[in-house]
Amino acid sequence: MMEAVISTIPPFERFYEQHRDEVFGYLVRLVGRQAAEDAFQETFLRALRGYPQLAHGRHLRAWAFTIATRVVLDLRRRREPAPLAAELASVDERPAYAELEHLAGELPATERAAVVLRYGYDLEYADIASALGSSEEAARQAASSGVRRLRRRMT
Amino acid sequence: MTIQENPHHPPPNGVTTDLDARFRARAAEEHLLDVAYDFTDSPIGSLLVATTERGLCRVSFDPEPERELDELARLHGARVLRSARPLDDVRRELDEYFDHRRTTFDLRVDVAGLPAFQRQVLTELARVPYGEVATYGWPRRSASRGPHAPSAARSTAIQSPSCSRATASSARAASSLATRAGWSASGPCSRSKDVSTGEIRIVSWPEAEVPPGLREQVMALQRQAWPPDESVEPSNTHDPALEPLSMLLVADGRVLSALDILSKDITHQGRRFAASGLSTVVTDEALRGRGFGHRLVEAAHDMLAASGRDLGIFTCDRPLQAFYERAGWKVFPETVLVGGTPAAPFPSDRFDKVTLGDFFSAKGRRFADTFIGSRIDLYPGEIDKLW
């Protein structure tokens, strides 16, 4: 019974209100504030398109991040190079990661998404994998090689 | 280091109001919403208005947004989003209406989420022009008229046609506005006067949505008529499966008389008919004999006639037969209504009951003879055994 209640698909308004700020913050980290606005709209428009196909209301947060990540990767494929690292916002309550984040803009898009999702938003590797459209192992590797690369740049 | 483009927007990394508004507008522009809703101010308080692509689907007074969202999602689809632009026309027309600059609405209405009977009633109500001295005998297909008094002769003031037209979107629309707008002193609807009791109106809602203040009065009247210890009506509410619609005769917020209309598709001699009947007809004891019950019962007859139901049918205790006949209902001689369920039938000939009714649709009239003098399987269930 609880399961049924929890897994009910909420009205879109509720889903949107719950996740919009976090998703926007994520997009700002990935592509900078300017580009984040377009990516934000695109993310939630895609969410609206996919909403009727949702089978249940679980993992909606990860789902939102997945869409946002795909939007960014799609943008990236169409439009290189990456924005300057200086455009990135760096408000973060996680100091260790925050030290690195201003450099994240220079990582390849996949590694960058993996790093931000893992260390910025605490997503499980399974969810990151689905966001990246890769295996869990590949997601883990993307995150760790991204972090290694960042640390090298710090020094 | 955060780049603050707009010093006024509060969350440093949150969505700006402007971006939020642009997304909401675009979602609607791209036709991705099942329902767009918004709030609008009115002289009667904040209203929640909602629209689908087909038209206005809700106007709620004093809304509880969370509950409304769930309900809208259940009726129309989960993609429910607050978005101002799709409701621009609604807002404008409502503003004009409340400013007395508008008397009719050009809004399309989506009644898809409503039960069939309410849909019929509201569609019918929506036809009545604003400001017509709102007798319930609004122009009807003359073919469906029996030998009853012409509608113009009726004095019962029914504001709901013109007012619900404002919002005819849904029963809720009517119910929200009913109490505060057309039926209150400041409302734009015309009204008729009754010397002794002031303005008298007939208002109607699905039973579950009768405003609590009125609902309590109705229940008090029912307790008065059927004291709980010797209760004829054991339950305070009807079976929701019968789509109970409450009609109240109200003067200055006081319920003078009340009844419920129950509806069900029945099978009679192999044919399906849309049937409705009167239930729990009650008038305040102190006000009996002044024609209030008559007005209400007559209005119910007229509403059913206009709604396109095939027939109305119900039973009453024999002493009340003349009361219903005066209001337009006809006696079906030797006719037994079988209530209860097929497994536990509850036929009216176990009691000293008279069966009354009328035929409203062409189909109903065509097969009228098959009903008169027969046993009619109504089977409304265990709760409303003989509705």
Side-chain angles (χ1 to χ4, degrees):
Chain A
M1 203 54 211
M2 275 313 282
E3 182 71 355
V5 171
I6 290 165
S7 65
T8 304
I9 295 163
F12 192 86
E13 175 74 27
R14 212 170 284 153
F15 162 78
Y16 171 71
E17 281 195 344
Q18 240 160 40
H19 302 296
R20 67 181 162 189
D21 287 335
E22 202 176 36
V23 165
F24 184 65
Y26 170 61
L27 290 166
V28 169
R29 287 170 160 186
L30 288 192
V31 298
R33 186 167 286 274
Q34 285 278 298
E37 298 216 345
D38 286 344
F40 173 82
Q41 290 212 35
E42 181 57 27
T43 297
F44 281 99
L45 291 173
R46 281 192 201 180
L48 273 172
R49 285 188 201 105
Y51 215 65
Q53 279 85 52
L54 284 177
H56 54 72
R58 294 189 294 269
H59 313 306
L60 287 181
R61 179 172 182 259
W63 184 64
F65 277 118
T66 298
I67 299 172
T69 306
R70 299 234 171 109
V71 167
V72 168
L73 295 179
D74 288 353
L75 279 176
R76 200 45 62 77
R77 270 194 281 279
R78 285 201 302 270
R79 188 180 41 173
E80 294 287 349
L84 295 174
E87 278 181 27
L88 291 175
S90 61
V91 173
D92 200 313
E93 52 291 324
R94 297 170 187 78
Y97 172 67
E99 285 167 22
L100 302 176
E101 177 157 16
H102 66 286
L103 297 169
E106 293 163 26
L107 293 180
T110 310
E111 282 183 17
R112 186 175 176 184
V115 167
V116 174
L117 286 174
R118 181 70 197 109
Y119 299 101
Y121 293 92
D122 277 339
L123 251 62
E124 301 295 329
Y125 282 115
D127 291 332
I128 298 172
S130 94
L132 297 175
S134 70
S135 69
E136 198 173 322
E137 190 43 42
R140 199 182 294 273
Q141 269 177 15
S144 77
S145 86
V147 168
R148 265 201 312 277
R149 213 190 293 257
L150 288 177
R151 291 202 193 283
R152 274 205 299 278
R153 278 184 207 177
M154 290 269 298
T155 54
Chain B
M1 108 217 93
T2 309
I3 299 164
Q4 282 279 44
E5 290 164 339
N6 175 0
H8 299 295
H9 93 79
N13 258 347
V15 176
T16 60
T17 325
D18 173 58
L19 175 59
D20 180 68
R22 274 186 288 142
F23 164 68
R24 291 174 186 277
R26 210 165 136 204
E29 271 162 32
E30 301 210 356
H31 305 282
L32 290 172
L33 301 182
D34 297 316
V35 178
Y37 75 95
D38 200 8
F39 297 93
T40 184
D41 288 328
S42 82
I44 58 171
S46 171
L47 298 176
L48 181 147
V49 287
T51 184
T52 67
E53 299 256 319
R54 290 179 298 278
L56 185 63
C57 66
R58 174 145 326 183
V59 179
S60 289
F61 176 77
D62 217 3
E64 293 170 45
E66 289 306 306
R67 205 172 55 94
E68 298 279 348
L69 293 195
D70 287 328
E71 173 91 353
L72 287 168
R74 191 177 60 74
L75 288 174
H76 302 283
R79 293 180 300 176
V80 178
L81 188 71
R82 183 171 180 176
S83 184
R85 213 169 292 165
L87 291 148
D88 282 351
D89 287 344
V90 175
R91 236 189 318 270
R92 182 175 46 76
E93 293 204 6
L94 281 173
D95 285 348
E96 290 169 1
Y97 182 80
F98 287 121
D99 282 353
H100 302 235
R101 284 179 290 128
R102 168 175 285 279
T103 58
T104 59
F105 286 79
D106 304 322
L107 301 168
R108 282 176 306 141
V109 160
D110 181 359
V111 291
L114 295 172
F117 175 56
Q118 291 175 21
R119 195 155 60 219
Q120 283 175 351
V121 170
L122 287 164
T123 309
E124 197 62 37
L125 293 183
R127 267 185 220 145
V128 176
Y130 170 98
E132 188 168 276
V133 175
T135 64
Y136 232 116
W138 63 77
R140 292 175 300 168
R141 289 150 294 226
S142 50
S144 72
R145 280 204 58 78
H148 315 306
S151 54
R154 304 199 173 159
S155 58
T156 306
I158 294 220
Q159 306 296 340
S160 57
S162 45
C163 288
S164 341
R165 194 187 163 94
T167 59
S169 64
S170 73
R172 273 167 214 84
S175 69
S176 311
L177 290 177
T179 31
R180 319 276 179 144
W183 291 276
S184 71
S186 65
C189 292
S190 63
R191 29 186 100 81
S192 71
K193 288 276 182 185
D194 179 279
V195 278
S196 52
T197 49
E199 297 156 351
I200 298 183
R201 296 135 196 172
I202 292 177
V203 289
S204 80
W205 289 271
E207 182 182 64
E209 291 165 24
V210 175
L214 295 178
R215 177 77 191 141
E216 276 161 33
Q217 293 187 54
V218 172
M219 296 204 305
L221 292 188
Q222 290 180 1
R223 280 194 301 273
Q224 192 186 59
W226 303 288
D229 50 341
E230 43 180 308
S231 180
V232 176
E233 305 288 324
S235 168
N236 273 335
T237 51
H238 295 288
D239 185 347
L242 301 173
E243 299 181 16
L245 186 80
S246 298
M247 286 180 76
L248 317 181
L249 190 74
V250 178
D252 296 329
R254 177 178 175 189
V255 177
L256 314 180
S257 190
L259 60 78
D260 297 303
I261 295 174
L262 304 179
S263 296
K264 181 179 187 284
D265 286 347
I266 62 170
T267 302
H268 184 65
Q269 300 186 2
R271 297 181 192 94
R272 299 279 285 173
F273 296 92
S276 293
L278 305 190
S279 180
T280 36
V281 180
V282 62
T283 298
D284 191 335
E285 228 165 50
L287 300 170
R288 288 190 195 154
R290 296 168 63 172
F292 296 131
H294 171 81
R295 291 187 188 188
L296 194 60
V297 167
E298 185 179 61
H301 177 276
D302 289 356
M303 175 149 88
L304 286 171
S307 74
R309 303 294 288 174
D310 293 318
L311 73 154
I313 190 153
F314 58 99
T315 60
C316 74
D317 295 333
R318 194 167 299 281
L320 290 170
Q321 173 185 332
F323 165 76
Y324 286 105
E325 282 186 296
R326 280 197 303 277
W329 295 96
K330 295 164 188 144
V331 172
F332 291 3
E334 306 297 315
T335 307
V336 177
L337 206 54
V338 185
T341 63
F346 192 75
S348 63
D349 57 358
R350 271 193 214 162
F351 313 91
D352 190 20
K353 293 272 186 190
V354 179
T355 301
L356 296 120
D358 204 354
F359 298 96
F360 301 123
S361 70
K363 181 181 176 189
R365 284 189 297 278
R366 187 167 151 219
F367 294 106
D369 289 349
T370 69
F371 285 92
I372 309 297
S374 74
R375 293 180 78 83
I376 302 167
D377 292 339
L378 184 64
Y379 296 141
E382 288 293 344
I383 301 175
D384 303 286
K385 286 190 175 174
L386 263 179
W387 68 23

